[in-house]
Amino acid sequence: MDVIVKTRRGFEKIAASHIGEVLGPGAEVEPAPFGYLGIVFVKAPGSDKWALAQLIAQKVPEADRVLVVEKLVPADPAEIEKAAVEVAKRYINPDDTFAIRTTRRGSHTFSSIDINVRVGAAVKEVTGANVDLEEPTKPLYVEIFQDTAAVCIPATGEYRKLRRDKPLALGYLRKVALGQFVYEGDEEAVRKMGERIGRAVQTFEVGELVILLHKPIPARTLRLFAEAVEEGIESRYQIQTRSYGRPVWKVPVHVYELYQWVRDRAGEPLIVTDPKGDYVTHAKERLAELFKSGRVNVLIGAREGVPTGVFRFASLVIDLIPEVTIATDFVVPALAIGLISALEEAGTLPRYLGKRKKK
């Protein structure tokens, strides 16, 4: 093989077909070699394999990652180390950072981590470069298929959720205590709206959700809404705990009467969302000041707007999207994104500095 293409599982044949069309009849394209999903082997005798890789990267969106094979050796740690050192000598400079990315397919007496550690130590010794597992300037890939190992250089970049200098929002979202009016309507609408609101507040992991009674409502409506909110929170929380590589905050839910809640939170920042307020990014400096507090209370209506008498007790009234009345189930996402955008513009959010580089 000259090039290894990684694609989404189940897309191997589609990717292979597209690659064959792009490269022409001289190319040999094999989807799911050895039955391994998400892989396409490409070989084009007599062609420049780097030119092939670049063409695939430019023309084939199904190709998530394109790797140029520099060495093929038996799947033995000593052979892999030797091959990786040869490739690294011409690929990695002393002022670069690198990481070894090993994927192992088949049964072996060693693990992927074993290869990463052994090869990483050898490459560091011969190049003098530092290891950076998060954002290496020169990653080196070891792709193992049963008895064969391919040492590869990527022709496509790496994408990561959290990169250095990216703003961190979670700590500020955790300061938010949302006051949400009860949604009224037929039972099915109340249930669906409650579940969507619950999923939204859990998605952003806000500090607290307070269901507010701003007028007499049927007890059944309150019960349905509160139960649906908690079901939405639980549903999203279960997904987060399975997929996140960090602890997840489960949003607590309380019930309070609107005016008593406003009195109870006297002395704390209170933000009201209403079209009559200032556009959220125009109030960014004031928002930055308010978020210096330990808890920031944010009031959201439902069908009915927030009573204007409460405005006098608010630290700030903000409009999330001028000229648009936001549907109740979209307010929490719009609010979270608007607040974080404004705080970022104000230069308030801390930055991700990355894990410490290995020397």
Side-chain angles (χ1 to χ4, degrees):
M1 73 199 81
D2 293 321
V3 176
I4 298 173
V5 175
K6 291 188 173 185
T7 187
R8 295 210 169 186
R9 288 171 176 257
F11 281 76
E12 308 83 17
K13 291 183 179 179
I14 296 173
S17 175
H18 196 174
I19 291 168
E21 292 173 2
V22 168
L23 300 185
E28 300 173 18
V29 184
E30 182 182 1
F34 307 107
Y36 293 121
L37 301 179
I39 299 292
V40 178
F41 284 173
V42 181
K43 185 174 180 61
S47 301
D48 179 351
K49 58 187 176 183
W50 273 97
L52 292 179
Q54 292 295 337
L55 193 59
I56 293 170
Q58 293 169 7
K59 301 291 186 179
V60 183
E62 295 90 350
D64 290 340
R65 182 162 292 149
V66 182
L67 304 175
V68 177
V69 178
E70 294 291 331
K71 286 281 186 180
L72 280 174
V73 296
D76 173 77
E79 294 291 335
I80 295 170
E81 177 187 337
K82 181 180 177 181
V85 165
E86 290 182 25
V87 174
K89 283 180 179 178
R90 63 176 184 270
Y91 172 54
I92 300 172
N93 299 314
D95 57 347
D96 289 325
T97 58
F98 77 95
I100 308 300
R101 315 286 200 205
T102 302
T103 303
R104 187 173 55 85
R105 305 167 185 85
S107 179
H108 305 91
T109 58
F110 55 85
S111 68
S112 296
I113 294 176
D114 292 336
I115 298 299
N116 288 343
V117 172
R118 177 168 181 165
V119 173
V123 169
K124 177 175 172 52
E125 183 176 352
V126 298
T127 64
N130 288 326
V131 175
D132 183 352
L133 299 180
E134 292 187 285
E135 297 181 58
T137 57
K138 297 288 183 67
L140 193 63
Y141 286 76
V142 179
E143 299 290 326
I144 301 174
F145 299 91
Q146 299 180 358
D147 297 329
T148 302
V151 178
C152 310
I153 296 175
T156 48
E158 295 185 331
Y159 296 91
R160 298 184 67 84
K161 292 181 180 179
L162 200 56
R163 300 186 299 276
R164 293 187 184 96
D165 205 39
K166 206 168 187 179
L168 298 173
L170 202 57
Y172 281 77
L173 291 170
R174 196 67 52 77
K175 291 184 176 186
V176 174
L178 288 178
Q180 169 71 60
F181 284 12
V182 177
Y183 185 86
E184 297 181 81
D186 64 75
E187 292 188 1
E188 185 62 21
V190 170
R191 186 178 291 108
K192 286 183 177 179
M193 191 62 68
E195 187 173 333
R196 290 170 183 170
I197 291 171
R199 288 180 62 84
V201 297
Q202 183 60 45
T203 294
F204 294 99
E205 295 179 60
V206 299
E208 177 190 20
L209 175 65
V210 182
I211 298 173
L212 295 175
L213 297 166
H214 63 294
K215 65 179 183 180
I217 64 170
R220 182 171 177 80
T221 299
L222 174 60
R223 180 175 65 80
L224 286 173
F225 183 72
E227 287 179 348
V229 165
E230 292 193 324
E231 287 171 6
I233 289 174
E234 182 64 26
S235 171
R236 183 60 190 168
Y237 177 74
Q238 291 300 326
I239 292 172
Q240 291 170 317
T241 53
R242 290 195 301 268
S243 59
Y244 288 6
R246 60 167 177 80
V248 180
W249 169 258
K250 188 173 184 180
V251 178
V253 182
H254 303 101
V255 178
Y256 219 149
E257 193 273 331
L258 168 64
Y259 298 106
Q260 294 301 318
W261 181 73
V262 171
R263 292 188 182 97
D264 183 64
R265 305 290 167 106
E268 298 180 13
L270 173 61
I271 298 171
V272 173
T273 60
D274 192 275
K276 304 178 187 72
D278 296 324
Y279 181 42
V280 61
T281 57
H282 293 175
K284 60 187 178 184
E285 302 299 337
R286 178 59 177 151
L287 281 170
E289 286 294 320
L290 295 178
F291 270 86
K292 291 179 180 178
S293 301
R295 180 168 66 181
V296 179
N297 303 286
V298 183
L299 188 51
I300 300 173
R303 283 195 165 179
E304 300 178 37
V306 176
T308 54
V310 175
F311 289 17
R312 297 194 303 274
F313 298 85
S315 310
L316 188 63
V317 181
I318 58 171
D319 185 6
L320 298 175
I321 306 177
E323 297 188 286
V324 175
T325 299
I326 306 174
T328 302
D329 50 340
F330 292 154
V331 173
V332 172
L335 171 67
I337 294 168
L339 287 177
I340 293 303
S341 298
L343 292 171
E344 165 60 9
E345 283 192 20
T348 302
L349 299 184
R351 303 282 177 164
Y352 178 64
L353 300 178
K355 296 177 183 176
R356 190 174 181 180
K357 291 184 182 180
K358 293 185 179 180
K359 300 296 184 183

